Amino acid sequence: PRPILDMSYSRHFLDFQGSSIPSFMKKLVVTKLSQNFREAVTLRQDSPVPLPGDGDLLVRNRFVGINASDINYSAGRYDASVKPPFDIGFEGVGDVVALGLSASADFTVGQAVAYLKAGSFAEYTVVPAKQAVPLPSVKPEFLTLMVSGATAYVSLKELGELSEGKKVLVTAAAGGTGQFAVQLAKKAKCHVIGTCSSDEKGGFLKSIGCDRTINYKTENVESVLRKDYPEGVDVVYESVGGKMFDLALNSLATKGRLIVIGFIAGYQSPTGLQPIKAEFLPAKLLKKSASIRGFFLNHYLSEYKMALKHLLEMYERGDLVCEVDFGDMSPEGKFTGLESVFRAVDYMYMGKNVGKIVVELPHSVNSKL
């Protein structure tokens, strides 16, 4: 057991590898509200390393996750009262390098943790101990579960009413959260259809159990659905918006359910939306006794810990594929360091990723010797 470091009187302390925790660090800060991530966000080189309070952990981030909603956050769409400058990034995995006295009841220096909290695009983040998830090791796969896996799990459990034989359509199925919607629907013994933008993604989807893949670049999604599923689909897990939303709505079966978890097609536009054909919406829903439900993870945090526990157990047992995309195939190579977050966001909006986009933050250890 390591001595607990009381941070109240010390500005300079040692981490568990015997290296100094620096006084300053790099982090990304939203300095201007814009749906253009590069315009909105600035890389600060000399931000003070924050000090953990009594119930807090100081986490040295090793992997951070990229989410489509990072752009909504930098555009100020989630909370109009928050004014720049503010920290960005929703999730991280790393090591506890210091902690407050109360926090030491449940955590120790050197422990691997994951967390869901704004401000992860930084070398160090203070995380309330009660929000941290202890992990067996620091692995990027665990990061895929924090937002993406939990979104798929909770939304399908709470709103999907999945049962054996139901037909489930997952849009952007090879993405960060789509990969989990496909696998969880398969585990519920559903017939799963996934849309994607390349044959490579189609191959990945088949490998995780997708029954029918539709490459929307080479196939007409509407025609395929009309021909192969004339009765319609029972559940749609929808994250694209715009034309894909219209198409999904039209493809619903009687008593079908469309779950909106996002609309990435519009996030980079000034309004955040792409137009949909909504004027016939009441008639379409009535005709099929169908429903549309929105899902935002923050409204279901009471279910979060249970969902995450279950997902972690599934992964540990080998029952869940957690595909990570480090951008190795991107033009400038792997996403390493906070400066590559900008590239990683671009990569996601170009629809290049297979699985969850993760950025690695390497840390040099300055030995005292």
Side-chain angles (χ1 to χ4, degrees), residues 243-266:
K243 292 191 175 94
M244 188 63 85
F245 173 89
D246 288 329
L247 198 152
L249 177 67
N250 293 338
S251 304
L252 282 177
T254 301
K255 296 185 183 174
R257 296 170 294 288
L258 192 156
I259 304 170
V260 176
I261 65 122
F263 32 93
I264 191 172

Side-chain angles (χ1 to χ4, degrees), residues 11 27 44 86 328:
R11 288 263 156 192
K27 73 172 179 177
R44 294 249 166 100
F86 56 86
D328 294 299

Side-chain angles (χ1 to χ4, degrees), residues 137-157:
S137 61
V138 174
K139 283 170 77 171
E141 285 77 10
F142 293 126
L143 193 54
T144 67
L145 303 174
M146 298 302 293
V147 172
S148 301
T151 295
Y153 185 100
V154 180
S155 64
L156 290 174
K157 178 175 174 285

